[in-house]
């Protein structure tokens, strides 16, 4: 997944528009109101936790309430939460039209240093009451330009949300050492995400630096970058994988494909998790082009069904 600034701006913009039109829901009854169902979602399938990263719904309104509704509609009970929606709910400043992005970044940094955790705890309760667990979150506050205070904020907010790890794009070794040390202080894991630069040894330096450094593996990117199966890598590093993104891509830096049409051995990987009782979640990441007449929720449902069939 690529977190380009433009994508984040669009995500924030759509979230703000959706927030303006939200009805006032009682948090305790939110799931029942928005879904029309009394049963809770369940995507723990034959011992394998199937989740979704909320980036998958980036083409749709993206408030915290919206994202919860999508999870319930998709019958998914576990997520990796992107930072924008949570921070917006918690009262982060909004980017104003024409505002310089550097100035906005400074404003965000100042907010993060003093941000109360109450709203993050409220999100955790809202999702928990609806039957959805937040196992990871990916805030835009773990970079080389972020202060230690911002990074502390990211871990503290993660604790308030109830996650067991944060995720971030794999930085250089200076930054993985820095994050590993701060993660150790907070007793939380960092899962480092890679794209097609992935190799069988890409994470070795970070893993050696701290037991709190881990791998947020993306099997689609791994396949596209190495033109090989990720199964041997998973077998070797399974105890350091915090969570794993699932998508389907072609070999030789090939494009994203609807599941089952690329070279990624999704079924084999899911069977590996099932047969070896690996406990890290397998996270649906919707990146292929959404077909005309469909939407992100419909496609995530298709991906979930693919996973369920693979685990049957």
């Amino acid at each position: 997944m690529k977190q380009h600034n433009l994508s984040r701006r669009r995500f924030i913009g759509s979230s703000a528009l959706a927030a303006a039109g939200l009805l006032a829901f009682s948090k305790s009854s939110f799931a029942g109101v928005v879904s029309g169902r009394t049963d809770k979602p369940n995507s723990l399938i034959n011992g394998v936790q199937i989740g979704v990263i909320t980036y998958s719904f980036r083409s749709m309104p993206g408030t915290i309430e919206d994202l919860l509704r999508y999870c319930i509609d998709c019958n998914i009970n576990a997520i990796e939460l992107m930072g924008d929606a949570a921070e917006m709910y918690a009262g982060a400043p909004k980017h104003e039209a024409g505002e310089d992005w550097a100035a906005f970044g400074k404003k965000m940094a100042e907010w993060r240093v003093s941000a109360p955790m109450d709203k993050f705890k409220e999100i955790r309760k809202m999702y928990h009451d609806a039957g959805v667990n937040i196992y990871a979150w990916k805030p835009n506050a773990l970079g080389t330009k972020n202060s230690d205070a911002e990074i502390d904020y990211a871990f503290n907010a993660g604790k308030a949300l109830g996650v067991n790890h944060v995720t971030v794009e794999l930085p250089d070794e200076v930054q993985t050492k820095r994050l590993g040390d701060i993660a150790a202080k907070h007793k939380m894991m960092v899962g480092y995400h890679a794209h097609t630069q992935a190799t069988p040894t890409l994470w070795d330096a970070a893993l050696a630096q701290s037991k709190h450094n881990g791998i947020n593996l993306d099997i689609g990117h791994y396949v596209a970058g190495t033109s090989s199966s990720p199964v041997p890598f998973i077998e070797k590093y399974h105890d350091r994988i915090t969570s794993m993104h699932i998508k389907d891509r072609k070999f030789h830096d090939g494009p994203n494909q609807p599941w089952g049409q690329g070279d990624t051995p999704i079924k084999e990987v899911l069977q590996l998790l099932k047969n070896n009782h690996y406990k890290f979640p397998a996270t649906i990441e919707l990146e292929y082009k959404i077909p005309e007449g469909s939407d992100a929720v419909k496609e995530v449902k298709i991906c979930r069904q693919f996973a369920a069939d693979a685990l049957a």
Side-chain angles (χ1 to χ4, degrees), residues 2 20 107 123 130 139 148 175 190 192 195 207 281:
K2 295 182 179 178
K107 189 164 62 175
I123 292 169
D148 285 0
Q175 183 68 359
V190 184
Y192 295 104
H195 295 270
L207 298 182

Side-chain angles (χ1 to χ4, degrees), residues 130-151:
V132 177
N133 172 53
I134 307 170
Y135 55 79
W137 100 294
K138 189 170 190 171
N140 186 28
L142 297 168
T144 56
K145 294 183 179 180
N146 295 111
S147 67
D148 285 0
E150 284 184 271
I151 295 172

Side-chain angles (χ1 to χ4, degrees), residues 43-63:
S43 52
L44 180 63
I45 304 170
N46 285 333
V48 177
Q49 180 64 70
I50 301 298
V52 66
I53 183 169
T54 56
Y55 176 79
S56 298
F57 304 115
R58 64 197 175 279
S59 60
M60 305 178 73
T63 67

